[in-house]
Amino acid sequence: MSSFVKDLVRVGTSNVAVILFGVATSIVTARFIGPEGNGIIAGLTVYPALFMSFGSLGIRQSTAYFLGKNIYSEDRIKRAITQIWSLTTVVSLVICYLLMIYFSKSGENFLLVILALLPIPFSLFVTYNSGIFLGRNDIKSFNKVNWIPPFIVLVVSLVLVGLFEQGVKGALIAALGGQVFMAILMLLKNEFIKAFSLIYDFKVIKSMLSLGIVYAIALLIINLNYKVDVILLDKLSTSYELGIYSKGAGIIQYLWQIPMVLSTIIFSRSASAKDDYVFSLKVAQLLRISLIIVGGASLVLFFMSNFVILAMYGEAFRASVSVLKILLPGVLLLTVFKVMNMDLAGKGKPWVSMKAMIPALILNVILNLLWIQDYGANGASLASSVSYSVAAILFAYFYCKETKVPAKELFYIRKSDFNIIFSKMGKFIPIKK
């Protein structure tokens, strides 16, 4: 467990950095671009972000699985993913371009569309190759993949958006800069450049795609549930309402960084776990701790939402306060999914998530269509909160059925859950005799 805690500290530190850089960038875009400009950014980036979940073809997850189980060598896997990347980059760019042109109100500006598309090949490259770090349980290197791009985005945003007042264009260039920098760093420092080859290993490619496509479909459905409100707001409402929603939702989704600290490690270790049931019991313990932490943070955020929104974004975003409050219950409940899904994904069972997410997605679409035109950003928030809650309840049921872990193990909090925390604190806090 000591190595687990070390990984937990590393990932926790990385995620804190991601949150700080992300919040700082969000403040810069809010203060210098305003609600409407932020709505345009949200409308432009939703399709590339959404398609990345499918366009990535689950290669990171299948890479971690095959490498963690020692099914294929690292060299063979690296060569296969670079070849898959070459093809999927072209397909992803074409499909995303068509989606943005024909389905987004913001797609009328050709320059902005191109700037929103350009990060895709670099982001795919980083996503694919980061699975190598997960597969060999190299959490330290994986952390760099997480925090370096947001740091670059913040720096470039300060220069282009804050200093030179380049508005939406500057924000999109900043997003591109983060992915380009990380892709070049991976290419040069981690010897991925040696993996490019015209000799195709079709056995590895077929195996990775066969498992990866299941991950990809699951991720697409999951991310559709997160993004469908943005898509429908873009179509049915105004850029102002979309901007208000994006900032409120953006803050609250940082709460998910807490369970994501655990999820990264869970996926990595689940892929190589010897006893699946015992490992699932440990994951259930981590879930119970996560629910307490996220619940406490949600309560604080609820009562301080007015101060947080106005202090960060200013009076122009006051309407984002209600968005934040409405989303909180659903985000808290979805912590169950965020933590436990990585266990099943690491076991090579990503399809279980679809049993919960497909009904939740259908409900989300229906409720958004009913509520957006009358209630705007608040309607989208309520639809998402209800959908997240349904997804969490359904997934808890299917997880227990799949792993044979009793439901009480997920939610029955006990004093022993915190022994590991107290034991670590004891090393730094002297006990008086």
Side-chain angles (χ1 to χ4, degrees), residues 382-399:
L382 185 57
S384 292
S385 196
V386 172
S387 172
Y388 294 166
S389 301
V390 170
I393 294 169
L394 289 175
F395 184 78
Y397 168 77
F398 290 119
Y399 178 86

Side-chain angles (χ1 to χ4, degrees), residues 29 38 64 74 87 128 147 156 161 204 221 230-231 233 237 242 262 269 292 306 309 317 319 335 371 374 382 410 431:
T29 56
N38 278 272
E74 185 172 320
L87 174 63
Y128 283 6
W147 71 261
V156 180
V161 179
V204 180
I221 293 170
V230 174
I231 294 171
L233 267 172
S237 192
L242 183 52
L262 303 172
R269 292 182 176 239
I292 292 175
N306 207 60
I309 292 291
F317 288 88
T335 300
W371 293 340
D374 290 334
L382 185 57
L410 301 186
I431 300 173

Side-chain angles (χ1 to χ4, degrees), residues 153-287:
V153 171
L154 172 59
V155 172
V156 180
S157 294
L158 285 170
V159 174
L160 294 182
V161 179
L163 186 61
F164 291 102
E165 299 182 350
Q166 291 300 300
V168 173
K169 181 173 67 175
L172 293 174
I173 293 174
L176 170 64
Q179 296 300 327
V180 170
F181 183 87
M182 192 66 238
I184 293 174
L185 193 65
M186 273 188 159
L187 194 63
L188 300 178
K189 297 292 184 181
N190 297 294
E191 300 183 344
F192 286 120
I193 196 168
K194 296 180 180 179
F196 285 88
S197 172
L198 294 177
I199 302 174
Y200 288 84
D201 191 338
F202 289 105
K203 181 181 179 181
V204 180
I205 292 174
K206 182 180 178 181
S207 297
M208 293 182 68
L209 288 176
S210 296
L211 179 60
I213 197 70
V214 182
Y215 283 111
I217 294 171
L219 283 171
L220 177 63
I221 293 170
I222 292 167
N223 283 288
L224 263 174
N225 218 350
Y226 302 153
K227 301 292 185 181
V228 71
D229 40 16
V230 174
I231 294 171
L232 293 175
L233 267 172
D234 184 38
K235 293 292 290 183
L236 303 176
S237 192
T238 64
S239 294
Y240 171 83
E241 289 290 331
L242 183 52
I244 291 297
Y245 179 83
S246 67
K247 288 305 181 188
I251 288 181
I252 204 167
Q253 287 175 8
Y254 284 120
L255 287 175
W256 280 337
Q257 291 296 325
I258 298 172
M260 287 307 292
V261 171
L262 303 172
S263 296
T264 299
I265 306 170
I266 289 168
F267 183 88
S268 174
R269 292 182 176 239
S270 182
S272 55
K274 305 303 180 186
D275 190 322
D276 287 344
Y277 182 76
V278 172
F279 186 82
S280 293
L281 290 178
K282 292 180 180 179
V283 175
Q285 180 185 10
L286 294 173
L287 170 64

